[in-house]
Amino acid sequence: IDVSISKHSASASITSDNSSYSLAGAKYRVYEGKTTKGKLLGELVTDENGYAQNKGITVSYETTHVTFVEVQAPKGYKLDSEPIIVSIQNNSAHADISETPLLQKLSVELYKTSSDSVITDGNENYSLNGAVYEISYVLNDKNIVLGQLVTDEKGYASGEYEGIPLGVNTLCAKELSSP
């Protein structure tokens, strides 16, 4: 039989044109039958397009399924070791697999200060409390807004943001309103 897999990103808007992600190098073991306890038939390794194929694998006459198991995730993606059972039809078995990209969490600490401390220090009419900042990053020429931070009386604000693509290592802070 011929066995093959095609992988694609579950979030192409995040992974396209981002060198932190690649579909090449995913490694799968292929087993005879509906479990990983069957005979190991071989391994597949994906190319840069997420495709891998092995032609001419010999299985017993009564075999109706093969099982694919990912043993190595490609760069920037989560390993999915859940077995994928595929039926054999017309002497071939193909799996179309959606790959989940890894995401990161980034922290922000922001300190607002006075540009002229001679005027502001000790001045009860001046406060650093309540400045609002928009936190964002740029991906594929699009500005992605994560949220807002508001400064305290010392001009300090902090936050953590999850779900940020790999390769993004700079967050932007834009003051929306001053105190």
Side-chain angles (χ1 to χ4, degrees), residues 39-107:
K39 175 184 169 189
L40 178 63
L41 299 173
E43 287 190 342
L44 298 173
V45 179
T46 57
D47 63 16
E48 66 277 355
N49 297 313
Y51 185 76
Q53 182 178 31
N54 192 339
K55 293 184 174 188
I57 293 177
T58 303
V59 296
S60 64
Y61 178 74
E62 51 290 325
T63 300
T64 59
H65 293 80
V66 294
T67 300
F68 296 94
V69 177
E70 187 174 42
V71 294
Q72 179 179 316
K75 176 183 171 186
Y77 290 92
K78 179 182 175 193
L79 177 69
D80 183 1
S81 58
E82 189 69 30
I84 301 166
I85 301 167
V86 178
S87 64
I88 299 170
Q89 297 179 351
N90 300 322
N91 288 322
S92 68
H94 178 77
D96 188 28
I97 302 165
S98 181
E99 192 73 48
T100 303
L102 293 171
L103 301 172
Q104 63 183 329
K105 178 176 17 175
L106 295 178
S107 298

Side-chain angles (χ1 to χ4, degrees), residues 110-113 128-129 131 133 150-157:
L110 186 135
Y111 296 92
K112 181 173 179 64
T113 59
L128 295 172
N129 187 36
Y133 287 86
V150 180
T151 58
D152 63 15
E153 65 279 350
K154 295 180 182 176
Y156 176 78

